[in-house]
């Protein structure tokens, strides 16, 4: 992962923090940390399930890390798992009892629809003596795409792309997705009724709200067309097919379903691991926030400002130190370049990086935006042409600028997905 010469101790520390964070958030690691089987009882966090009460165990779900989560569950339960199906975008694990299908992300495609339909069909085979373990991870909103009756895939694709280009945060995007879907907002759980449904969630959303993770396939929610229309209006998104469908749709109350949902991995796990690496390196860790949102370039400028303050005054922490943050920044696309939120963050931070600092940021799934880079690493010398850097930001074209300066970080798909992870190393170059 990030196989490159770090060149300096500060860069090496930044990369070590990123690696540790991604590894700590791996779903297989999370299953070992939070789940156990003892005397015929499955324990997930503080909840217990008597396996003797079930004739079948199914693993169903989707998301960028769903296949790794399925492997973790197989390691835990072995041949107690009878069958299963998960949908991911790029397979990184090979479960033996759970089928893996692939679909499109961040824009859903026909494979996403076919995968979602197959998951729903499998759920409908469940009965009152079936335990459905729902493997739900970030990315599931696109990968489990089941347009509501009367909506086409093309309409869902267009509205998704336009919301993302408008810089809408994921909770707003998912408000629209839930209203337009047969599987989100508890649709998977409803299809499996009267089975016992237990969600195991890997969170890629700020705050770890289960209803927002993959738009909540196991979280019963009311259908609120007006809220979805308000989102489209707020971001001035032109989606006439979806708008017409929402305007004609009737609100639906929250279905009465008993579902347990457990978040077993999140950005907090990644941050905690990075904190440990910083301490082992005798650098003082300073957690800024796990909830950083908004425009990526503005977040980059903010981190650079905090770094400069720390270098100059020792506040909020004196070097040698490591500033850490997580969250989910967005990009309002106004240009036609190539980039992603973490690349824009890094480039903007590089413009104001103080001497002796290193800034690194990645999307923990290994793909920033739609690029092949997980993120980038920069220091005070990376931006050698300020005018060109500002043009790149204005055109949303951070990728080629950073690529030309050997600043991109590439890992391939990591098998997890828990927000963005950002590391700023102060001192130690």
């Amino acid at each position: 992962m990030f196989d490159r010469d770090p060149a300096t101790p500060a860069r090496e520390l930044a990369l070590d923090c990123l690696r540790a964070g991604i590894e700590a958030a791996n779903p297989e690691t999370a299953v070992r940390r939070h789940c156990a089987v003892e005397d015929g009882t499955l324990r997930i966090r503080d909840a217990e399930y008597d396996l003797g009460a079930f004739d079948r165990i199914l693993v169903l779900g989707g998301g960028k890390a769903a296949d790794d989560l399925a492997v973790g569950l197989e390691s835990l339960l072995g041949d107690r798992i009878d069958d299963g199906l998960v949908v991911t975008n790029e397979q990184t694990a090979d479960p033996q009892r759970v089928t893996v299908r692939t679909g499109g992300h961040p824009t859903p495609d026909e494979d996403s629809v076919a995968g979602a339909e197959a998951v729903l069909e499998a759920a409908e085979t469940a009965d009152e003596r079936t335990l459905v373990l729902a493997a739900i991870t970030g990315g599931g909103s696109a990968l489990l795409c089941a347009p509501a009756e009367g909506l086409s895939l093309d309409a869902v694709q267009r509205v998704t792309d336009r919301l993302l280009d408008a810089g809408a945060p994921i909770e707003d995007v998912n408000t629209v997705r839930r209203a337009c879907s047969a599987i989100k907002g508890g649709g998977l759980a409803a299809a499996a009724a009267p089975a016992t449904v237990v969600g195991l969630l890997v969170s890629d959303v700020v705050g770890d709200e289960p209803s927002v993770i993959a738009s909540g396939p196991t979280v019963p929610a009311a259908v609120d067309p007006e809220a979805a229309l308000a989102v489209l209006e707020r971001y001035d998104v032109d989606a006439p097919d979806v708008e017409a469908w929402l305007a004609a749709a009737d609100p639906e109350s929250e279905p009465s379903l008993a579902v347990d949902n457990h978040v077993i991995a999140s950005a907090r796990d990644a941050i905690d691991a990075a904190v440990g690496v910083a301490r082992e390196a005798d650098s003082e860790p300073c957690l800024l926030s796990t909830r950083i949102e908004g425009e990526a370039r503005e977040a980059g400028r903010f981190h650079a400002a905090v770094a400069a303050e720390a270098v100059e005054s020792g506040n909020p922490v004196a070097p040698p130190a490591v500033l850490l943050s997580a969250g989910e920044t967005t990009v309002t696309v106004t240009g036609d370049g190539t980039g992603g939120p973490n690349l824009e963050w890094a480039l903007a931070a590089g413009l104001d990086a103080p001497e002796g600092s290193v800034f690194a940021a990645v999307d923990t799934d290994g793909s920033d935006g739609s690029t092949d880079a997980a993120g980038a690493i920069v220091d005070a010398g990376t931006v050698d042409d300020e005018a060109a850097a500002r043009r790149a930001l204005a055109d949303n074209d951070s990728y080629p600028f950073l690529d030309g300066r050997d600043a991109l970080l590439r890992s391939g798909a990591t098998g997890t997905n828990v927000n963005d992870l950002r590391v700023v190393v102060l001192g130690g170059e």
Side-chain angles (χ1 to χ4, degrees), residues 18 24 66 88 99 184 196 265 313:
L18 294 178
T88 189
T99 300
K184 299 172 176 61
T196 297
S313 71

Side-chain angles (χ1 to χ4, degrees), residues 17-395:
C17 287
L18 294 178
R19 292 188 189 102
I22 291 171
E23 290 167 3
N26 182 274
E28 294 183 63
T29 302
V31 168
R32 291 194 296 270
R33 186 166 54 236
H34 295 301
C35 307
V37 175
E38 298 174 355
D39 300 325
T41 298
L42 170 63
R43 177 180 55 78
I44 305 174
R45 288 192 174 274
D46 296 329
E48 294 185 346
Y49 305 92
D50 178 10
L51 296 177
F54 305 105
D55 296 330
R56 297 174 70 210
I57 298 179
L58 299 179
V59 175
L60 301 173
K64 291 182 179 180
D67 50 337
D68 285 79
L69 183 47
V71 167
L73 292 172
E74 286 188 347
S75 298
L76 177 70
L77 292 161
D79 60 9
R80 288 186 174 95
I81 294 175
D82 294 281
D83 201 357
L85 172 65
V86 296
V87 185
T88 189
N89 63 322
E90 183 176 347
Q91 187 171 349
T92 56
D94 188 23
Q96 300 303 299
R97 307 181 73 84
V98 178
T99 300
V100 178
R101 298 180 63 152
T102 58
H105 185 279
T107 303
D109 60 13
E110 292 181 358
D111 290 333
S112 305
V113 174
E117 290 175 347
V119 167
L120 288 173
E121 288 172 4
E124 289 167 355
T125 69
D127 60 23
E128 65 275 1
R129 289 188 61 83
T130 302
L131 173 62
V132 175
L133 298 177
I136 305 298
T137 79
S141 289
L143 294 165
L144 293 174
C145 180
E149 185 176 356
L151 273 177
S152 68
L153 170 61
D154 183 62
V156 174
Q157 289 173 326
R158 286 198 304 272
V159 76
T160 300
D161 287 342
R162 289 169 185 173
L163 282 166
L164 293 174
D165 285 349
I170 193 64
E171 58 267 29
D172 285 341
V173 176
N174 287 356
T175 294
V176 177
R177 285 167 159 168
R178 276 195 300 272
C180 298
S181 174
I183 195 170
K184 299 172 176 61
L188 174 55
T196 297
V197 179
V198 179
L200 292 98
L201 314 182
V202 175
S203 173
D204 69 333
V205 301
V206 171
D208 302 332
E209 170 55 46
S211 65
V212 182
I213 302 167
S215 302
T218 58
V219 183
V223 175
D224 191 348
E226 288 190 6
L229 284 168
V231 168
L232 299 181
E233 182 178 359
R234 185 178 312 135
Y235 296 98
D236 194 25
V237 168
D238 181 25
D241 292 347
V242 172
E243 291 178 57
W245 187 88
L246 289 169
D250 294 323
E252 297 178 14
S253 59
E254 180 180 315
S256 180
L257 296 168
V259 183
D260 290 343
N261 285 295
H262 306 279
V263 176
I264 62 168
S266 70
R268 175 62 64 174
D269 297 299
I271 285 285
D272 288 347
V275 164
V277 169
R279 286 190 174 132
E280 288 176 3
D282 295 324
S283 288
E284 184 65 25
C286 178
L287 172 57
L288 299 179
S289 176
T290 61
R291 297 169 176 264
I292 300 290
E293 296 182 277
E295 284 291 327
R297 68 185 65 181
E298 296 305 321
R301 294 182 62 204
F302 166 74
H303 283 72
V306 174
E309 184 68 34
V311 169
E312 182 176 331
S313 71
N315 291 306
V317 64
V322 177
L323 307 177
L324 296 158
S325 75
E328 192 82 358
T329 60
T330 52
V331 173
T332 301
V333 178
T334 57
D336 58 0
T338 302
N342 288 285
L343 302 186
E344 289 214 359
W345 179 92
L347 183 51
L351 280 164
D352 298 319
E355 291 295 330
S357 63
V358 172
F359 292 71
V362 295
D363 191 325
T364 51
D365 67 14
S367 177
D368 190 39
S370 57
T371 74
D372 65 350
I377 184 168
V378 303
D379 57 29
T382 300
V383 177
D384 52 6
D385 185 336
E386 182 176 333
R390 295 192 184 281
R391 286 195 300 272
L393 283 172
D395 200 32

